[in-house]
Amino acid sequence: MSVDQLTSDDVNTIMDRAEFYKGRFKLGKDKKVGGLNGRTMINMFFEPSTRTRISFEQAAKRMGMLVSNIIADASAMAKGESSIDTIRTLGAMNFDVVILRTPQSMQPYELSTFTSSAIINAGDGTNEHPTQALLDYFTIQKLGMDVKNITIVGNIIHSRVAKSNTKLLLSMGYNVTLVGPNGWVPEPKEWNIPEEQYGQLNIGTHLRDVLDVSDVVMTLRIQQERFSDTHRGLIDLKDYNKEYGIKHGMLRDNQFLMHPGPVNRGVEIDEDLVYCPQSVILDQVENGVAVRSAILEHVLT
Ligand code: NCD
């Protein structure tokens, strides 16, 4: 449900196993490693998704699992069935694990009381996205021992990616700087960050002021669909790009660029820089499958 539920032992085990799976999932290899043969998983996605859904599906199939997918618009939910009845119905089919993506913050906790299947949170509203944080942590670890300072820039208050990443990275000893326009960055209290970690956390409003000390810049999609549920308003995307977008000449050779996707080209990152030499965006996607295999194994065995 949340990165808060993971001990550092859990995280390290998942990282070690993900390393193993990454080696087995190279192009040209037989990727069916098994390990969870015949176990069952359903992807229950009540919000659009490309990478997270396919990533979980591939992770599970490569482990030998039997996988189903339910897409909100094409399910009985479109006929008015509630999410509680849907999860109960699916529970009766004995899925070992449900992967849940929902626009409603905290819904995975609520639904977990109606099923004995394990639930993995694949993003709940503006709350958390723990598996994204784990794959980002895996990606960051691979960047080398010198990488210590992670700057997360953008629409932080609406970003479950930023919240899960901040909590996980702080607890694993990294320094995190959150940068965004006024009103877009939460108080550490809003995210229940333990006070003893405040020293590792920085908050800024100007990207250029913190760029020098950033080893990684993690950009976030401006989630226009989430601005309606808050009083903290949307600013002009061109203005945003001027102040917070990644542009030519901004990043040093030894800095890294991340983005959970999907990217709004020309807003968070200038058109031709999405796959620049500093970009590890496609590594994040590749690592995602291996990390999710390790997560499924951790949850189910
Ligand atoms: C993100 C999400 O859905 O939380 N994408 C993802 O899962 N990789 C980020 C986003 O939608 O902006």
Side-chain angles (χ1 to χ4, degrees):
M1 306 284 175
S2 162
V3 291
D4 291 343
Q5 294 171 311
L6 298 165
T7 64
S8 52
D9 276 354
D10 291 326
V11 176
N12 291 330
T13 305
I14 291 168
M15 294 303 114
D16 286 351
R17 296 300 291 160
E19 179 71 43
F20 166 77
Y21 288 121
K22 185 173 175 173
R24 298 289 304 266
F25 292 166
K26 293 279 172 216
L27 196 67
K29 284 201 168 184
D30 175 356
K31 294 170 191 60
K32 200 144 184 183
V33 296
L36 294 174
N37 282 330
R39 304 296 295 276
T40 49
M41 182 187 101
I42 183 154
N43 267 325
M44 200 165 157
F45 275 61
F46 300 151
E47 246 188 26
S49 166
T50 303
R51 64 215 86 209
T52 305
R53 190 171 67 78
I54 302 298
S55 183
F56 265 112
E57 184 167 352
Q58 279 297 309
K61 286 181 169 167
R62 292 174 193 194
M63 305 286 289
M65 295 182 75
L66 306 172
V67 179
S68 293
N69 282 283
I70 176 167
I71 316 286
D73 287 350
S75 74
M77 293 187 76
K79 299 181 188 167
E81 184 168 72
S82 75
S83 5
I84 292 172
D85 286 336
T86 302
I87 200 136
R88 277 203 159 122
T89 303
L90 297 170
M93 295 183 209
N94 295 329
F95 284 102
D96 293 301
V97 59
V98 176
I99 313 300
L100 181 64
R101 153 80 52 108
T102 164
Q104 235 173 288
S105 298
M106 310 306 280
Q107 197 183 32
Y109 291 92
E110 186 202 335
L111 293 189
S112 70
T113 62
F114 295 95
T115 177
S116 4
S117 308
I119 294 193
I120 296 179
N121 182 0
D124 62 326
T126 57
N127 183 41
E128 284 225 34
H129 196 344
T131 67
Q132 179 73 38
L134 285 163
L135 76 89
D136 287 339
Y137 176 66
F138 181 91
T139 307
I140 289 169
Q141 273 200 319
K142 297 247 154 268
L143 301 176
M145 298 287 280
D146 297 342
V147 169
K148 280 268 159 264
N149 299 311
I150 318 300
T151 293
I152 306 181
V153 56
N155 185 203
I156 316 266
I157 43 160
H158 289 127
S159 176
R160 54 199 179 201
V161 174
K163 184 175 177 185
S164 290
N165 257 296
T166 302
K167 286 168 169 252
L168 183 66
L169 289 167
L170 290 175
S171 73
M172 298 308 281
Y174 286 85
N175 301 318
V176 175
T177 301
L178 302 175
V179 181
N182 263 329
W184 282 24
V185 182
E187 294 292 325
K189 274 195 218 108
E190 286 180 65
W191 281 358
N192 291 325
I193 290 173
E195 266 180 49
E196 64 268 23
Q197 291 172 4
Y198 283 12
Q200 294 159 252
L201 182 66
N202 253 312
I203 299 222
T205 37
H206 297 290
L207 179 59
R208 283 173 180 77
D209 291 351
V210 298
L211 212 50
D212 255 8
V213 297
S214 310
D215 303 312
V216 172
V217 181
M218 184 186 292
T219 50
L220 301 169
R221 183 172 70 87
I222 302 305
Q223 303 184 326
Q224 300 197 61
E225 74 274 19
R226 298 210 197 278
F227 280 93
S228 55
D229 61 273
T230 149
H231 299 298
R232 309 188 234 199
L234 177 60
I235 59 170
D236 183 77
L237 294 183
K238 283 207 184 77
D239 290 345
Y240 178 84
N241 174 261
K242 242 186 250 157
E243 182 66 33
Y244 299 98
I246 300 299
K247 314 188 152 298
H248 276 278
M250 263 174 86
L251 297 179
R252 298 188 305 267
D253 289 350
N254 61 348
Q255 285 178 311
F256 297 96
L257 175 64
M258 296 176 75
H259 194 302
V263 177
N264 294 308
R265 281 171 175 266
V267 179
E268 299 102 38
I269 305 174
D270 276 2
E271 284 282 346
D272 50 345
L273 293 181
V274 178
Y275 304 118
C276 64
Q278 292 95 333
S279 167
V280 292
I281 293 172
L282 294 179
D283 301 75
Q284 290 173 266
V285 178
E286 181 185 359
N287 296 338
V289 182
V291 169
R292 290 186 170 111
S293 287
I295 292 168
L296 287 168
E297 176 182 60
H298 195 69
V299 168
L300 292 177
T301 60

